[in-house]
Amino acid sequence: MDATRVRIEDVAAAAGVSMKTVSRVLNHEPNVREDTRKRVQEAVSRLQYRPHHSARSLAGQRSYVVTFAYDNPSFNYLMEIQRGVLEACRAQHYNLLLAPLTYRQRESIDEIDGLLGHYGSDGFVLIPPLTDDLEFLAYLERRGMPYASISPRAGNGHMGVTVDDRGAVRELIAHLVSLGHRRIAHISGHPDHGASEWRLQGYRDAMKLAGLECRREWLSPGEFTFESGVRAARRLLALDPRPTAIFAANDDMAAGVLRVASELHLSVPRDLSVCGFDDVPIAHHVTPALTTVRQPTREMGRMATLELLKAIREPGAGQMVAVDYTLQLRDSTGRAPDA
Amino acid sequence: MDATRVRIEDVAAAAGVSMKTVSRVLNHEPNVREDTRKRVQEAVSRLQYRPHHSARSLAGQRSYVVTFAYDNPSFNYLMEIQRGVLEACRAQHYNLLLAPLTYRQRESIDEIDGLLGHYGSDGFVLIPPLTDDLEFLAYLERRGMPYASISPRAGNGHMGVTVDDRGAVRELIAHLVSLGHRRIAHISGHPDHGASEWRLQGYRDAMKLAGLECRREWLSPGEFTFESGVRAARRLLALDPRPTAIFAANDDMAAGVLRVASELHLSVPRDLSVCGFDDVPIAHHVTPALTTVRQPTREMGRMATLELLKAIREPGAGQMVAVDYTLQLRDSTGRAPDA
DNA sequence: CTGTTAGCGCATTCAA
DNA sequence: TTGAATGCGCTAACAG
């Protein structure tokens, strides 16, 4: 396609050194005198030299590819993470391979194995629930494939990022309590996600701290989808006495609660307060805008990837890092009707 | 790293043929006897042979990479297209490179050029408004880079997919008219998108056909964002007499209209009918669920990519194909209040 | 229809 | 601190 491609050889000639020296400079290896390094770098930019991805990969026995694996994600969450992962890859001249294992859990191991071949990927970035899929993790370990996990359950990943979901929910519920709410219901998330558990625990913690009873019927299971939020809300809002506030474990389900409230002619937040978690775009596009917890999703994708890249370069180097959440108080929460 | 990689040579030995014959079978080239082909395929699957992506790319002077370029997209639209593109790439053992040119229009050409240098790319898939960015298209042409366009303006792409937006809107407005609406307003989309123009034309066509006046103040410009929908709706709903129906050029803006209606204590659809376009997930997650037009977004991504891959294989082979829309009548439209 | 030979552009020995 | 040779796994010419 491009006959006039500039090769490492051309750079070497232009700088009056050998190919290997150029290679050393490009890969930030030691043992190059400072002025030779300068000469090489100048030649590189003068000739607009770009290393050939495939050639590097073939000779170097590395793919320069990071695989982002996901399964059944919320679009908004996925997109934000993906952007972060992409940013980090770009910055280090890595390529991103998308691995949606969306439908066929059963085939996923073989499928991925086929896609990657043996040298297809230098590492993985995982999001829940794949972070906790023991079969999948075992596969990665077996292949000696490094991976970074975003919000894994404790023990299911040695590098990546975490957020204190439990503490966030404690704060959120405390806010509802401060508005006079006492009958606070919770719609939990998909059981495969660690987040569901942490958010439930946060809810329990907060209720206990406030000295409020935590009736079983205030608890309704969901699956992180809008529709499951609708189903759960129907159940909860049929109770007598009705809860005055509902905390859904994510924004999609909270949007479902708003839908049911509207059907029942309940005004939010006058008759019912609603809050979610994640702060995806839908949270401020529904009416009223949702009170929720913001986690820096994009940044989380970026940071997890950076840790992975560290580990690829220097095995064992990746860390598990913690990031902060922030409460977003908006229009879907207000004083309790009976307060 | 993995000493036991199966190479094409091993397959050749196992099948009792030469490397080149195996290569021919793998690449679906002609001139292989049927029984030799069978023998080779059997050896391939028995040894679980996977071609090495980088080696193929290096030797074949092709990258086996398709670049998906986008700029300032709606998340939902983007995700659906991306899934389609990915499916098509997978099916043909191509790899996908994401090129978000989101923020720095100005730098995009250089940026992409740099990326191309690093990874190489055999072709591009474009979505609006990049489909109509003349500078960008010129760049691609200059490099002889094939590209497939999704919903480009007429003349700005020779292969890809199109939908009859104009006809769809005609049908949609006709439906409103049949419900007794006569004061129908329109919030148009971002001027850089051909779709904005087509949808506006469809609106005008339909009003004319119904013999309805098409007042200038019924027309309010938007930018395809939720917030621009809110601004436009505030203007439209302050008019006297008020429109009884608003057609927003996409679902995000229609969601903005719902927000304003709620603020003004207008009941939808009793006091006001609202409809959108695209049928992204938010369309059925808002309350009430939006009447809208569904275009098969994912399929469009897939089809555009398939055309591109055809053209990569055989220059000049890609076509512009048309896909169908379908009306989604839901709860946000009803009889006109004054009908 | 099939096989042989020679690189693709780079990183990696090992020697200097 | 540097350089020359060798090969990563595959495909493209050209033979046969």
Side-chain angles (χ1 to χ4, degrees), chain B residues 105-183:
Chain B
Q105 270 293 55
R106 225 11 101 60
E107 295 167 36
S108 62
I109 300 288
D110 285 350
E111 190 181 24
I112 279 296
D113 195 52
L115 283 173
L116 275 182
H118 277 288
Y119 303 117
S121 179
D122 294 341
F124 275 68
V125 175
L126 310 179
I127 59 176
L130 278 176
T131 43
D132 306 303
D133 180 325
L134 266 22
E135 184 192 0
F136 188 64
L137 297 183
Y139 163 78
L140 293 176
E141 306 270 8
R142 213 181 311 132
R143 299 196 66 102
M145 182 69 68
Y147 60 91
S149 309
I150 293 174
S151 299
R153 282 179 201 274
N156 286 347
H158 21 249
M159 79 182 118
V161 304
T162 58
V163 183
D164 180 13
D165 288 54
R166 187 168 177 171
V169 172
R170 273 199 294 253
E171 279 192 42
L172 189 61
I173 302 291
H175 176 250
L176 291 174
V177 170
S178 77
L179 289 169
H181 294 277
R182 313 191 62 76
R183 297 196 302 281

Side-chain angles (χ1 to χ4, degrees), chain B residues 266-282:
Chain B
L266 294 173
S267 160
V268 175
R270 207 189 49 215
D271 307 321
L272 177 73
S273 283
V274 177
C275 49
F277 202 107
D278 287 345
D279 197 24
V280 292
I282 201 182

Side-chain angles (χ1 to χ4, degrees), chain A residues 83 90 94 98 103 286, chain B residues 83 90 98 103 119 259 286:
Chain A
R83 282 173 64 172
R90 280 281 198 282
Y94 262 70
L98 300 176
Y103 304 120
V286 291
Chain B
R83 283 172 65 172
R90 280 280 198 283
L98 299 177
Y103 304 119
Y119 303 117
R259 156 79 118 269
V286 292

Side-chain angles (χ1 to χ4, degrees), chain A residues 13-203:
Chain A
V17 297
S18 76
M19 275 169 58
K20 179 60 201 167
T21 300
V22 178
S23 174
R24 272 196 263 266
V25 172
L26 291 172
N27 296 300
H28 306 98
E29 284 171 34
N31 296 339
V32 182
R33 238 183 14 224
E34 198 44 46
D35 59 321
T36 10
R37 179 185 302 279
K38 281 238 175 67
R39 262 209 334 277
V40 170
Q41 281 169 336
E42 194 205 343
V44 164
S45 66
R46 187 154 43 81
L47 298 181
Q48 297 217 65
Y49 169 71
R50 312 279 183 200
H52 189 292
H53 188 259
S54 298
R56 262 170 73 131
S57 159
L58 182 58
Q61 310 283 70
R62 272 179 285 170
S63 66
Y64 295 95
V65 164
V66 163
T67 302
F68 176 39
Y70 49 88
D71 174 15
N72 183 39
S74 139
F75 269 21
N76 293 302
Y77 180 76
L78 178 63
M79 271 308 298
E80 289 288 354
I81 299 275
Q82 181 183 295
R83 282 173 64 172
V85 173
L86 192 55
E87 276 177 28
C89 285
R90 280 281 198 282
Q92 318 229 359
H93 299 297
Y94 262 70
N95 201 173
L96 177 61
L97 179 64
L98 300 176
L101 312 183
T102 315
Y103 304 120
R104 300 148 294 181
Q105 269 294 55
R106 225 11 102 60
E107 295 168 34
S108 62
I109 302 286
D110 286 349
E111 188 182 26
I112 280 295
D113 194 55
L115 280 174
L116 300 182
H118 289 200
Y119 293 163
S121 179
D122 294 342
F124 275 69
V125 175
L126 310 179
I127 58 176
L130 278 176
T131 45
D132 307 303
D133 180 325
L134 266 22
E135 184 191 1
F136 188 63
L137 297 183
Y139 163 78
L140 294 176
E141 307 271 7
R142 212 181 311 133
R143 302 199 68 96
M145 182 70 68
Y147 60 91
S149 309
I150 293 174
S151 300
R153 282 179 200 274
N156 286 347
H158 21 250
M159 79 182 121
V161 305
T162 58
V163 183
D164 181 13
D165 288 53
R166 187 168 176 172
V169 172
R170 273 198 295 254
E171 278 193 42
L172 189 62
I173 301 291
H175 176 250
L176 291 174
V177 171
S178 77
L179 288 169
H181 293 277
R182 311 191 64 75
R183 296 196 303 280
I184 305 174
H186 175 49
I187 303 175
S188 53
H190 193 289
D192 286 355
H193 292 238
S196 304
E197 192 180 312
W198 306 322
R199 293 171 194 180
L200 173 59
Q201 287 169 337
Y203 165 77

